[in-house]
Amino acid sequence: MIDDIARIEADAAPRIAAAASLDELRALAAELLGKRSALSSLKSGLGPLDPDARREAGTAINRARDVLQAAVNARRAELEAEARREQLAAERLDLTEVTDATGAGHLHLVTQAMERLEDVFVGMGFTVAEGPEVETDWHNFGALNFPPDHPARDMYDTLYVEFGAPGSTLLRTHTSPVQVRVMTSQPPPIYMVMPGRVYRQDTPDATHMPVFHQIEGLVIDRDITFADLAGTLDTFTKAFFGGDFTSRLRPSYFPFTEPSAEYDIRRPDGSWLELGGCGMVHPNVLTACGIDPEEWQGFAFGFGLDRLGASAHGVDDLRDLFTNDVRFLSQF
Ligand code: DAH
């Protein structure tokens, strides 16, 4: 009996060590240690033995069981560690790997237009500033010479924010409040452009979005005239669109400029595109911002980016720009 036990143990040990997978090990453990195992049947055959021999054989069987169980546990630990290593290797991500450039994305059409506009103005000597999208009524309207309840406010379908006194806080309806932030935070001379996102309570259609983008320009210096404004916009037109484009100014009205004008560009095919507004900064605006209008003058302009970017690429529905369909966006 003792020899049988030793033989069972000696046969089993190398098989356990050679188990190649957790499944194989589980089956082997059942075979070697389960109810139908050779050790179990030896145990149930102990009855006829005399008490000393029975005790001796029983102890030997239990010891052999413990040895085999320990061998199974050790092999299981090895196989589990191996499986974990394999999983880590399979799921490994090389973050330094260079991806195929054809799979890379690119900037959105509006962002491209914004960056090109900034580049052209920086090339003309302007610097770039930004302001907040949630604004005070004073920055968006008050300081820009819109008296309270003035009908000119109706030009802007304003979205108000529930913050502070009713009507005191809003989503900026244009980038012009950034003019106010610039003028109240630094002394002239000022040559700046201010791009950004603006909001109006508008139903989306081919030419209107409730969220869109503008770029604002502001120049404040001594002896600035309307001719400087016209010259700057015409220089910009040629630098941005090409030498075969020209521009014109048409009389208009904005509370924060006097005189005010609409700025149109003329395409090489002779058609006109209205881009935005401009004018000489109103003395009331300079005064509201703490600048002496007797000493300083300036001009400002502001135009929409989205239509400009869209028309440059023959896109005729602004909504397409913002539906985020990659098949559409990847064309530009
Ligand atoms: N803020 C005006 C708008 O959104 C556009 C504008 C007109 C900006 C005249 C200006 C300006 O700076 O001088 O309709």
Side-chain angles (χ1 to χ4, degrees):
M1 170 87 71
I2 299 294
D3 288 350
D4 288 346
I5 297 167
R7 190 172 29 76
I8 291 169
E9 190 184 319
D11 287 349
R15 291 179 64 199
I16 294 171
S21 70
L22 286 164
D23 281 346
E24 195 182 321
L25 183 67
R26 205 170 299 118
L28 191 58
E31 179 195 326
L32 298 173
L33 300 164
K35 283 203 183 71
R36 306 229 183 98
S37 63
L39 286 177
S40 291
S41 57
L42 282 180
K43 205 166 189 174
S44 43
L46 292 180
L49 297 182
D50 64 63
D52 279 350
R54 198 194 308 158
R55 197 179 315 110
E56 191 192 353
T59 306
I61 291 170
N62 286 343
R63 202 197 50 80
R65 279 191 67 89
D66 290 348
V67 169
L68 294 183
Q69 185 66 60
V72 167
N73 292 349
R75 183 64 186 146
R76 184 185 302 119
E78 275 173 23
L79 287 172
E80 280 171 356
E82 219 165 273
R84 176 107 189 101
R85 265 197 305 278
E86 271 167 26
Q87 188 188 1
L88 285 177
E91 291 174 2
R92 175 168 166 275
L93 268 185
D94 182 356
L95 298 179
T96 65
E97 203 170 278
V98 178
T99 51
D100 177 1
T102 57
H106 61 73
L107 295 176
H108 190 276
L109 178 51
V110 172
T111 312
Q112 291 178 34
M114 194 180 277
E115 293 196 345
R116 266 205 66 220
L117 284 164
E118 288 176 22
D119 284 352
V120 169
F121 280 115
V122 166
M124 291 168 64
F126 287 71
T127 56
V128 181
E130 285 184 10
E133 292 175 18
V134 178
E135 262 298 7
T136 66
D137 178 80
W138 186 76
H139 287 89
N140 196 83
F141 290 126
L144 290 169
N145 199 32
F146 291 79
D149 303 318
H150 190 276
R153 290 185 178 222
D154 299 344
M155 288 159 53
Y156 303 91
D157 303 291
T158 309
L159 289 159
Y160 287 91
V161 175
E162 282 185 22
F163 182 81
S168 65
T169 312
L170 44 80
L171 296 179
R172 66 181 179 193
T173 58
H174 50 177
T175 42
S176 301
V178 193
Q179 289 185 29
V180 176
R181 292 199 171 265
V182 166
M183 284 188 276
T184 53
S185 62
Q186 68 180 76
I190 294 168
Y191 290 80
M192 282 193 153
V193 286
M194 298 144 260
R197 188 173 291 149
V198 301
Y199 302 81
R200 287 185 202 171
Q201 194 164 5
D202 237 337
T203 306
D205 65 26
T207 54
H208 295 88
M209 291 297 287
V211 181
F212 56 105
H213 303 80
Q214 290 187 334
I215 189 163
E216 192 79 15
L218 177 68
V219 168
I220 306 286
D221 207 337
R222 292 190 169 90
D223 303 322
I224 297 287
T225 68
F226 199 87
D228 296 314
L229 166 59
T232 300
L233 285 179
D234 203 56
T235 303
F236 161 76
T237 305
K238 291 180 163 47
F240 187 81
F241 296 98
D244 42 0
F245 282 69
T246 54
S247 64
R248 74 176 172 198
L249 301 179
R250 284 179 292 122
S252 185
Y253 171 76
F254 298 98
F256 39 96
T257 42
E258 180 57 36
S260 302
E262 298 289 335
Y263 159 54
D264 303 335
I265 59 164
R266 184 180 182 277
R267 302 190 184 98
D269 67 3
S271 63
W272 292 93
L273 178 66
E274 184 179 318
L275 276 194
C278 60
M280 301 306 290
V281 178
H282 197 290
N284 289 355
V285 175
L286 294 171
T287 304
C289 296
I291 293 176
D292 179 2
E294 298 297 327
E295 187 180 354
W296 303 97
Q297 304 77 43
F299 62 78
F301 54 86
F303 47 84
L305 267 173
D306 311 80
R307 278 183 215 175
L308 186 153
S311 76
H313 290 276
V315 173
D316 48 19
D317 192 326
L318 284 185
R319 289 168 296 191
D320 288 335
L321 294 178
F322 304 106
T323 49
N324 285 341
D325 185 331
V326 175
R327 291 167 302 180
F328 173 81
L329 293 174
S330 61
Q331 300 176 89
F332 311 105

